[in-house]
Amino acid sequence: MSWGYAGKLEKQLKDEIKELLRKAQQADKEDLPEGMNIPDELARRESRLEAIAAAKSQIEQRAAERFAKEQQAYEEKLAAREAKEKETGKKPKGRSPIPPEPGPKSNDQVNLTDSDSRIMPSQGGGFEQAYNAQAAVDVDSMLIVENHITQQSNDKLEVTPAVENLSRLPDKLGTVDNLLADAGYFSTDNVEECETNAIVPYIAAERQSHNAPLQERFTEPEPLTGPANPTTEMKHRLKTIAGKAVYAKRKCTVEPVFGIIKAAIGFRQFLLRGLDRVAGEWDLVCMAYNIKRLHALSPS
């Protein structure tokens, strides 16, 4: 339910309640439509108004959280422009940052059936009410070694929780040496998060083009000169022949796992509702995949 629709429906229900109360007062003077039970109709509308009030409260809370983040980003941009102006003595080019507007927007939505889910882009285009299911897969065994559910549609926010979960794995399972991820997971913070945890990141900084020229595939980049930050080092690493070979394993590691879960296991949507229950359901799905994979790995 959107903020705009909630307001319209709320007004409609309140008007209907007034009309029902009027009919109740005039019940002895005018006939009621056949089958109409005024107490039941009033109770039904009061119940819906309570649900709308709860939905509006959630939308307002999310809007306040969004405004706080946008306001912080706005202030950081202003500070950066002011610092640049002081450094160069010139007014920065481009438009000044636009301050965010507080309060809910007309199309802000909440799901009355599952308030923990969020509106997310769908693979086929458009948007749908969903969760974001994450999985980290071991390159050699193709076993899922980390999985979690998030309400965030932006994958850039999921490297840190994945690394934290991986750090809690039993020592006997080995250590995580490299992390391979597509451009949807790239950010400077994520590169530094990997480096801090002694993990070598191979995160595409931009979409990789298909069918690279032959010469480009077998040409080493010019070496880095002087000290470089972790992001620059990673970008250079991905341009090396060895780096390209490592990153190429990503596509044939994690993507087949999701394909097997969807096509072979037949899991395409969550049957439960609520973040905790959906997370538990995803745990079961990943365990089912791992059992299937372990069976394939075991000697016949």
Side-chain angles (χ1 to χ4, degrees), residues 47-177:
S47 177
R48 294 186 71 184
L49 283 174
E50 290 178 3
I52 291 172
K56 290 178 68 176
S57 177
Q58 288 191 39
I59 293 174
E60 287 174 331
Q61 180 181 350
R62 292 181 190 176
E65 293 171 355
R66 178 184 63 212
F67 175 74
K69 292 179 181 178
E70 292 178 347
Q71 182 66 22
Q72 181 180 356
Y74 168 71
E75 292 173 357
E76 289 174 353
K77 289 179 181 179
L78 281 182
R81 287 176 65 89
E82 291 175 1
K84 187 173 182 180
E85 184 173 358
K86 288 181 180 179
E87 180 182 349
T88 62
K90 299 179 181 179
K91 187 175 181 179
K93 296 180 180 179
R95 296 180 179 179
S96 298
I98 300 174
E101 296 182 2
K105 299 176 182 178
S106 178
N107 59 351
D108 285 350
Q109 296 188 27
V110 67
N111 189 307
L112 297 180
T113 305
D114 185 357
S115 60
D116 288 344
S117 62
R118 298 291 184 267
I119 296 292
M120 297 187 184
S122 62
Q123 291 184 342
F127 296 86
E128 60 185 358
Q129 201 79 25
Y131 291 92
N132 187 349
Q134 297 284 320
V137 180
D138 176 62
V139 169
D140 296 325
S141 66
M142 289 188 68
L143 289 169
I144 297 175
V145 292
E146 188 278 335
N147 66 278
H148 65 276
I149 290 290
T150 176
Q151 295 167 302
Q152 304 288 344
S153 61
N154 189 345
D155 288 335
K156 289 182 175 64
L157 304 174
E158 302 314 311
V159 169
T160 294
V163 169
E164 290 176 352
N165 289 340
L166 289 168
S167 69
R168 290 192 285 267
L169 292 175
D171 293 338
K172 62 183 179 181
L173 292 180
T175 58
V176 180
D177 299 318

